[in-house]
Structure formats: C-alpha cells, structure tokens
C-alpha cells in the first residue's frame, strides 16, 4: 500500500535539517554559543536526519533491510528522549 503523501515527510525533514544546520553554523558568526542551544540543535538535527533516512529506506516495506542501522537509530532515538534536559540548560 503506497502512501499518497510519501515524498512530503522526507523532503520536509531534509529541509528542516538543513535549516537547523545553517542555524548552528551561523551561530559562530553571531557569537552566540550557548551550550544548551548547541545541544538542542544537535539533537534536533540528528532526529530529523534519522526521520528522513528511515522514511526513504522503509518506504513500502516492513522487512528488516539494515539491522545495524536500525540498532543505531534506536539507540539515538532513546537518547533524544532526554532532549528536554538541554532546554533546562538554556533557561
């Protein structure tokens, strides 16, 4: 069964990841290196990148194509659960 909105999620995730990366890169020009903001941007970038890759890899099937990639992404997604701690550092 094909999803009629398939290219929307990976394209939106990639665009958002690029925008987060541009914000991270230009923060050095502005001189605003706050640890909490850098941590938050990093984890949001990783989450968006994982979402984009997974929606492309597992487009029409539920078969386990890349088990190592699946294990790495699961570990990173569990780490992203603690994203709220970087917002505590910001404030």
């Amino acid at each position: 069964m094909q999803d009629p909105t398939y290219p929307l999620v990976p394209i939106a995730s990639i665009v958002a990841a690029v925008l987060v990366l541009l914000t991270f890169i230009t923060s050095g020009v502005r001189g605003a290196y706050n640890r909490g903001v850098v941590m938050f941007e990093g984890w949001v970038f990783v989450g968006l990148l994982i979402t984009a890759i997974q929606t492309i890899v597992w487009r029409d099937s539920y078969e386990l194509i890349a088990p190592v990639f699946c294990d790495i992404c699961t570990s990173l997604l569990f780490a992203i659960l603690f994203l709220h701690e970087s917002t505590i550092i910001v404030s």
Side-chain angles (χ1 to χ4, degrees):
M1 187 167 111
Q2 287 191 347
D3 186 15
T5 62
Y6 161 67
L8 179 65
V9 174
I11 289 173
S13 294
I14 291 170
V15 168
V18 167
L19 290 175
V20 168
L21 190 63
L22 285 175
T23 305
F24 179 71
I25 291 170
T26 59
S27 65
V29 175
R30 293 187 314 253
Y33 274 117
N34 186 350
R35 283 191 196 130
V37 173
V38 170
M39 286 173 42
F40 186 75
E41 287 176 347
W43 284 116
V44 169
F45 176 75
V46 168
L48 288 169
L49 203 60
I50 288 173
T51 302
I53 292 170
Q54 285 184 346
T55 54
I56 292 170
V57 170
W58 284 281
R59 178 181 172 193
D60 289 330
S61 68
Y62 296 105
E63 295 177 18
L64 190 58
I65 299 169
V68 175
F69 175 73
C70 215
D71 293 339
I72 293 170
C73 286
T74 303
S75 299
L76 286 174
L77 288 174
F78 278 131
I80 290 175
L81 289 175
F82 298 104
L83 184 66
H84 65 279
E85 291 178 4
S86 64
T87 59
I88 293 172
I89 295 172
V90 172
S91 59

